[in-house]
Amino acid sequence: MFTLALPTPPPAQARGSGLSATFATGTAIPVGDTPGGIAVTPAGTRAYVANHGSNTVSVIDTATDTVIDTIATGAGPNAVAFSPDGTRAYVTVSDDGLVSVIDTATNTIVTDIAVGAGATGVAVTPDGSRVYVTLQSSDTVSVIDTATNSVTASIPAAGTPLGLVITPDGTRAYVACLFANGVRVIDTATNTVIATIPVGPVPILLAVSPDGTHVYVTNVGNSTVSVIDTATGAVTATVGVSAQPRFAAVSPDGSHVYVANSGPDTVSVIDTATQTVVENIGVGDGPTGIALLPDGTRAYVTNAVAGTVGVMATTVIPDQGSTAGGTTVTLTGHHLANATAVHFGTAQAVITANTATSATVTAPAGSGAVPVTVTTAGGTGTLGHFYYVPAPALSGINPAAGPVAGSDDEIVLTGRHLAGAIDVYFGTTRAVIQTVSDNQVTVRAAGAPAPGGTAVTVITAGGSAGGLSYTYLDPSTVTGVSPDSGPTTGGTEVTITGTGLAGTEQVTFNGIPAAFTVVSDSTLTATTPPSGAAGPVGVTVTGPGGAPAGTFTYVSEPDI
């Protein structure tokens, strides 16, 4: 069963320039073990966090950013959703097969509804009359009548249903099916699956835009977000993010999608107008869940490994850019109508759009960390900070070659000013970012259409860096091992022939490393290590072109 618990990823990184704190507000709130799903009340006054590992729900006061209550649940709480009036919270409890109903006035569980093993995703209809719950173990979606707190329907949804959202008009539910590589569309009037939309590999979680026109699906298999047009039922864009994307959240104005990436400990910010990532923000250890305040000024991120909730300001997005200026920045706040000036430090930005709650500007040139201020007829206020990022530079790549089919092995790029890296390309193919620091980015390379060298490019908020190349190789082969037998005591000099052997990194006999010498791309020699038993063993040659194998037979020496 898939749960929201995560393996331990590398340590979190600060924002790209190294000038800012890990979080925009510097706040990390301790909660329970392995926090996963998080939701903010409709009024924005509380955030409820499902702590999968400690069987609790933490209640955060968003005015003080402190935990004001801890509610004990059954085993394995996963996700949280609220009734439209905010009086009830519905929590899936996967290991006990329940949905716990919490009275938010008293923060007590008023009832537990048995739904079945593997309860994971949860969503409430806009009228509050029904709750939809995904059940991994039975490949179904349960429908709960909130008036009676009973299950009234069970909808087949083969492929391990996980994430679930309901459109703002309440007519459709979208369900990410983990092993179907698709999203099931449920007609909520008939509670039947009316369509399956192919998306990326291993889709897990979803978010819906406030106007209901788009659904965003995180795909773990290739670290992408599929964008579904709900009018046509088709994927209209696929946006690359970083490794292990989890929950996504859409800003109240629909301008940005925030995606928690548990691999490199970042949140990717997608501009929905261009369907591109404009910023990767460093957060805590193992970011999983994410929820925004109704006014869009803050995001709350659950850090599953750290056991914390990070508070991330979203008033300046992106909040980093090139020292040369020119970055398009969205400012979110209150009383911004008819803004007469926006300054980044002392330099004035160009205002390109303006409403009461947001302004779009073009950042001027600058350096360092500067306050962002907005001037209206009512006065001048500070919305946040902007971090000017130096241009990145690359100095090394290791390994510099690999199989044309791609590889799961990590490739390490070194340089400077790399933190906050948005994308890495091998030629025109995007490589998935695994970890990031100011002087290093690790990626996994996708396959290439043909062998040969290709340019490597890293893109950050400060610009792009190149100058390195990566060589795609045809798969190496082993065609012969001669002699093909020798004593169990080892010491036999063998010649291994094949193709693509020049970059050999290791030779093993039955998994035991052997001393070797590369003679040419088609030949190498190796000395057999001792073996504890007689018989045939595999001879594996590991290098950038793969790990082909031959056979060698150990022979026992004669006894007297």
Side-chain angles (χ1 to χ4, degrees), residues 250-458:
V250 187
S251 61
D253 64 1
S255 63
H256 294 95
V257 178
Y258 298 81
V259 182
N261 304 309
S262 68
D265 297 340
T266 60
V267 169
S268 290
V269 184
I270 299 171
D271 183 326
T272 58
T274 61
Q275 304 294 11
T276 58
V277 173
V278 295
E279 182 174 20
N280 276 334
I281 302 172
V283 290
D285 203 349
T288 300
I290 186 166
L292 275 75
L293 290 182
D295 67 1
T297 59
R298 276 180 288 165
Y300 289 80
V301 184
T302 60
N303 301 305
V305 178
T308 62
V309 170
V311 187
M312 190 175 77
T314 52
T315 50
V316 180
I317 295 294
D319 72 348
Q320 53 183 302
S322 169
T323 55
T327 302
T328 298
V329 179
T330 300
L331 309 177
T332 301
H334 305 283
H335 314 300
L336 304 181
N338 302 314
T340 56
V342 173
H343 285 87
F344 284 48
T346 59
Q348 188 161 336
V350 176
I351 301 172
T352 57
N354 187 202
T355 70
T357 57
S358 71
T360 303
V361 302
T362 303
S367 62
V370 297
V372 178
T373 59
V374 178
T375 301
T376 70
T380 298
T382 301
L383 287 189
H385 284 76
F386 188 82
Y387 304 89
Y388 284 99
V389 182
L394 291 174
S395 58
I397 180 171
N398 183 43
V404 71
S407 172
D408 284 337
D409 293 337
E410 288 189 348
I411 299 166
V412 180
L413 307 175
T414 53
R416 62 183 186 275
H417 309 312
L418 302 179
I422 295 171
D423 269 317
V424 175
Y425 284 93
F426 284 42
T428 59
T429 302
R430 188 182 71 93
V432 177
I433 296 172
Q434 306 295 314
T435 64
V436 181
S437 68
D438 196 55
N439 58 12
Q440 182 174 291
V441 179
T442 62
V443 299
R444 288 195 174 105
T454 187
V456 177
T457 306
V458 174

Side-chain angles (χ1 to χ4, degrees), residues 67-95:
V67 173
I68 58 171
D69 214 338
T70 301
I71 306 165
T73 67
N78 259 337
V80 184
F82 290 103
S83 60
D85 62 6
T87 61
R88 294 289 185 268
Y90 297 88
V91 181
T92 53
V93 184
S94 61
D95 297 346

Side-chain angles (χ1 to χ4, degrees), residues 20 26 52-53 63 90 95 122 124 155 167-168 242 246 252 263 265 317 327 332 396 398 445 453 460 526 540:
S20 69
H52 187 89
Y90 297 88
D95 297 346
V122 61
V124 183
I155 308 166
T167 54
S242 296
R246 290 305 196 252
D265 297 340
I317 295 294
T327 302
T332 301
N398 183 43
T460 73
T540 304

Side-chain angles (χ1 to χ4, degrees), residues 104-181:
T104 58
T106 61
N107 284 331
T108 57
I109 295 175
V110 294
T111 190
D112 285 319
I113 306 167
V115 290
T120 305
V122 61
V124 183
T125 57
D127 64 3
S129 65
R130 288 172 290 170
V131 175
Y132 285 70
V133 182
T134 57
L135 304 175
Q136 297 181 56
S137 300
S138 59
D139 277 354
T140 58
V141 175
S142 287
V143 184
I144 296 170
D145 183 323
T146 59
T148 61
N149 285 327
S150 60
V151 175
T152 57
S154 180
I155 308 166
T160 311
L162 188 62
L164 171 72
V165 293
I166 296 175
T167 54
D169 64 5
T171 61
R172 298 288 185 270
Y174 289 78
V175 180
C177 292
L178 190 69
F179 298 120
N181 294 341

